[in-house]
Amino acid sequence: MKAVAVFPGKRQVRVIDDAPEPRLQSPTQVKVRTHEVGVCGTDKDIVQFAYGAPPLGSDYLIPGHECLGQVVEVGSAVRGLKKGDWVVPRVRRPCPHAVCPACRHGHPDFCITGDYTERGIKEAHGFASQFFVEDVAYLHRASDELRGVAVLTEPLTIAEKGLREVDRIQERLPWKMEAGRAVVLGAGPVGQLGTLALLRRGYATSVYSHSRKPNPKAEANEAAGAPYYSTQDITPQELVRRVGPADLFYEATGSASATLKALEALGDNGILVLTGVPARPEPLSMDGAALLKQLVLRNQVVLGTVNAADADFEVALEDLARFRARWPGGLERLITGRHPPEDYFEVATDKKGGAIKNIISFS
Ligand code: BGC
């Protein structure tokens, strides 16, 4: 079958036609025809050989971890899914170690051994191929109505997990925290979807990102109701004057300098949620003492969050339906290009100025 293949040894990325077509190997497995695969910053690092690893024994990795597909075959013990259903797969699979409480409790997103695998990223093939096989336990059914946008489920799950954790953490406050003020750093797909998730929860949300207005990302943010400010136009102090101190910073840039510079605008008892996974070093010179003093004197929390669990995928699918009802056309405008598998490398590395989310179409 046709698949995108990343060969780190040969430093090559190309489409291959002879990837073995997977078959059902257990009664709980499902065979899926890939419809679309989203391309993100992690994929850019993978095709540049800065991140990710092929499965043991393979000289290539099939990338692609944001996926929507259609069921073509189900094993005899599969319940709840049938041929023709649209499905979204999760990314991470548990480590094998008995001592890992996270993996043993269905939460490889909190794995403590590091021996988890991630489809399309770490030691397991992803979904950028005509077909894939997956256990029903790792598949989520998407309704037919979501077919045009369900490829956005996985990047939205990052926000769903992060915001679920924020709610738990803020139970530390002696009063019930209402949705307050949020600032999203970055206006790429993770930032855009995070913005919608925050607005949906009632946060007054602003976006603070590099590019100056007018630009399509800012337009998408503002059409949803989140004012957009460029870091080139206003300082963090000015941001506070305009929107007030933030209860929550949702970082979706992967840039250490941009994040730490903006952090001054985080308010008392605020949380900084970090979602970016920088693959390259970014040495900084900064006043570390001032940062620690700020964190302590303002009771602030820094929360790193990676990957997402079963429940986050379910909530993300529900949220996509809510977003479509509240912002008709809003999700569709985040998908700025659909491309053939042959263009995978260009699409991953060479994002044109206005592009938000690029998709690879397989059917
Ligand atoms: C994916 C996550 C994954 C992380 C680290 C992100 O791009 O969305 O599922 O855990 O990369 O590899």
Side-chain angles (χ1 to χ4, degrees):
M1 66 171 180
K2 189 191 257 195
V4 178
V6 178
F7 294 85
K10 296 189 241 170
R11 297 184 85 76
Q12 261 182 19
V13 179
R14 61 187 165 89
V15 166
I16 55 174
D17 287 313
D18 58 352
E21 187 172 321
R23 293 175 190 194
L24 300 190
Q25 282 174 345
S26 98
T28 56
Q29 284 183 336
V30 176
K31 183 169 173 180
V32 180
R33 183 196 308 277
T34 303
H35 177 53
E36 296 179 330
V37 165
V39 180
C40 76
T42 299
D43 300 308
K44 177 178 181 183
D45 292 330
I46 290 172
V47 300
Q48 294 177 329
F49 319 108
Y51 192 66
L56 294 177
S58 170
D59 57 349
Y60 65 86
L61 170 75
I62 299 176
H65 60 277
E66 303 176 2
C67 175
L68 172 68
Q70 198 166 24
V71 173
V72 290
E73 194 184 342
V74 295
S76 57
V78 169
R79 301 286 170 265
L81 278 183
K82 57 179 187 324
K83 202 173 157 184
D85 282 348
W86 293 98
V87 285
V88 172
R90 294 209 294 286
V91 180
R92 208 176 260 198
R93 303 292 170 267
C95 77
H97 307 296
V99 294
C100 181
C103 289
R104 301 291 69 77
H105 286 89
H107 266 283
D109 58 319
F110 284 106
C111 177
I112 64 165
T113 68
D115 286 341
Y116 58 82
T117 57
E118 285 181 337
R119 291 204 65 165
I121 304 177
K122 182 176 180 284
E123 294 160 11
H125 286 316
F127 310 115
S129 55
Q130 284 177 292
F131 298 96
F132 64 92
V133 162
E134 186 51 88
D135 197 279
V136 63
Y138 297 110
L139 294 172
H140 298 266
R141 202 173 78 77
S143 65
D144 286 355
E145 298 78 66
L146 288 182
R147 173 189 168 163
V149 296
V151 70
L152 299 174
T153 307
E154 197 279 340
L156 175 59
T157 62
I158 305 298
E160 304 293 2
K161 174 179 170 181
L163 297 182
R164 179 165 52 79
E165 290 181 78
V166 164
D167 288 345
R168 295 285 289 275
I169 293 167
Q170 292 306 50
E171 283 174 17
R172 71 190 174 134
L173 298 176
W175 66 93
K176 177 154 172 41
M177 201 196 77
E178 303 299 336
R181 257 187 299 262
V183 171
V184 175
L185 298 179
V190 173
Q192 296 280 347
L193 291 164
T195 300
L196 300 184
L198 285 159
L199 289 167
R200 198 281 277 171
R201 284 167 171 78
Y203 281 89
T205 307
S206 314
V207 178
Y208 193 40
S209 189
H210 180 72
S211 303
R212 289 204 156 102
K213 291 205 278 191
N215 70 70
K217 296 177 182 175
E219 280 154 27
N221 285 136
E222 297 200 330
Y228 177 102
Y229 302 95
S230 166
T231 54
Q232 300 182 69
D233 291 335
I234 68 167
T235 60
Q237 296 84 340
E238 181 58 25
L239 183 70
V240 178
R241 272 194 291 279
R242 298 211 193 169
V243 305
D247 301 298
L248 175 60
F249 258 49
Y250 185 77
E251 177 277 331
T253 64
S255 160
S257 53
T259 304
L260 292 171
K261 238 181 252 158
L263 200 55
E264 246 181 77
L266 184 62
D268 290 330
N269 313 320
I271 301 194
L272 165 65
V273 179
L274 297 170
T275 74
V277 186
R280 296 171 188 78
E282 192 188 343
L284 294 175
S285 129
M286 59 176 294
D287 182 349
L291 173 64
L292 297 195
K293 183 169 150 193
Q294 173 189 323
L295 291 173
V296 170
L297 294 185
R298 297 194 202 161
N299 288 297
Q300 293 172 335
V301 175
V302 178
L303 170 71
T305 179
V306 69
N307 201 254
D310 190 347
D312 305 313
F313 275 75
E314 288 300 316
V315 176
L317 283 159
E318 288 165 20
D319 261 354
L320 287 179
R322 291 189 191 110
F323 296 172
R324 286 192 71 197
R326 177 159 166 189
W327 298 287
L331 289 170
E332 285 80 357
R333 80 187 290 170
L334 300 183
I335 301 181
T336 43
R338 286 188 157 86
H339 308 265
E342 287 71 19
D343 291 355
Y344 195 91
F345 180 81
E346 286 70 32
V347 168
T349 50
D350 178 33
K351 223 172 177 188
K352 303 276 180 292
I356 303 179
K357 171 56 79 182
N358 277 316
I359 302 295
I360 302 295
S361 298
F362 277 84
S363 63

